[in-house]
Amino acid sequence: MKTYPTLLLLFLMLVCCSCSKSSDTLIRGGYDEQEMEAAIARARSEVDSFIAELSKGNGSDFAVKVPIEDKEETEHFWLTDIVYRNGKFEGVIGNDPGMVTNVKSGQKWSVKKSEISDWMFMREGKMHGNYTLRPLLKTMPEEEAAKLRSILANP
């Protein structure tokens, strides 16, 4: 079962970056930066298990989050429709940029597995990975955060 509406909502909510411009799709801080760094480190340390699930097709809506730099700004995007080969993820930018101007939604992009900032997939109605969501939950209205926690495989 495809869950693209769920992913689209999350993509719009979870574009996390160091923000200096205003955009409806950008998280403007308020989260614990050390927790975010730990979430990124966890995602990178577990990326091989994600690759194994992706190669087995053991789920749906596989995506990786990638940092993209432009000038002195960094913005994180979800790559969707991904494949993994030769040490890289290839896919398409899954959301519109809010700060950087060197990419657009739907553009093809590739990234080394060591450079991702997160990964996620859905299985049996539960979201696996998406570790960078956890630090953001504390910044959201409780009803919204509870809804997201309810679909996390490991809240």
Side-chain angles (χ1 to χ4, degrees):
M1 180 173 128
K2 298 281 184 184
T3 56
Y4 289 117
T6 301
L7 283 179
L8 182 58
L9 170 66
L10 290 172
F11 293 158
L12 294 175
M13 289 177 16
L14 304 177
V15 177
C16 121
C17 62
S18 59
C19 301
S20 64
K21 293 183 185 176
S22 180
S23 171
D24 291 340
T25 62
L26 298 176
I27 306 299
R28 296 194 54 84
Y31 57 86
D32 185 307
E33 289 186 28
Q34 287 182 325
E35 283 182 36
M36 187 62 75
E37 289 174 18
I40 292 169
R42 180 177 181 189
R44 288 178 178 163
S45 74
E46 296 179 14
V47 71
D48 288 331
S49 64
F50 170 74
I51 292 167
E53 298 300 316
L54 174 64
S55 68
K56 290 186 248 179
N58 196 9
S60 64
D61 303 315
F62 290 89
V64 292
K65 189 183 271 188
V66 299
I68 296 178
E69 296 178 8
D70 182 25
K71 300 177 183 111
E72 294 187 23
E73 303 287 355
T74 301
E75 189 169 350
H76 296 254
F77 293 84
W78 286 104
L79 287 188
T80 59
D81 300 323
I82 61 168
V83 296
Y84 180 75
R85 64 176 148 242
N86 302 322
K88 289 185 173 184
F89 291 100
E90 299 171 4
V92 297
I93 302 289
N95 49 295
D96 290 318
M99 291 177 11
V100 300
T101 59
N102 58 342
V103 297
K104 61 183 179 181
S105 181
Q107 178 180 337
K108 291 183 180 182
W109 197 263
S110 69
V111 63
K112 293 178 187 175
K113 80 174 187 176
S114 62
E115 296 173 343
I116 66 158
S117 50
D118 207 349
W119 55 263
M120 64 172 281
F121 66 94
M122 299 295 292
R123 182 171 49 223
E124 298 176 1
K126 293 291 182 177
M127 182 184 303
H128 296 261
N130 202 350
Y131 298 120
T132 55
L133 171 63
R134 279 108 172 132
L136 301 177
L137 290 172
K138 297 174 188 174
T139 69
M140 296 177 186
E142 186 50 42
E143 185 177 320
E144 183 179 340
K147 219 181 268 188
L148 290 169
R149 279 188 198 96
S150 73
I151 65 170
L152 289 171
N154 298 314

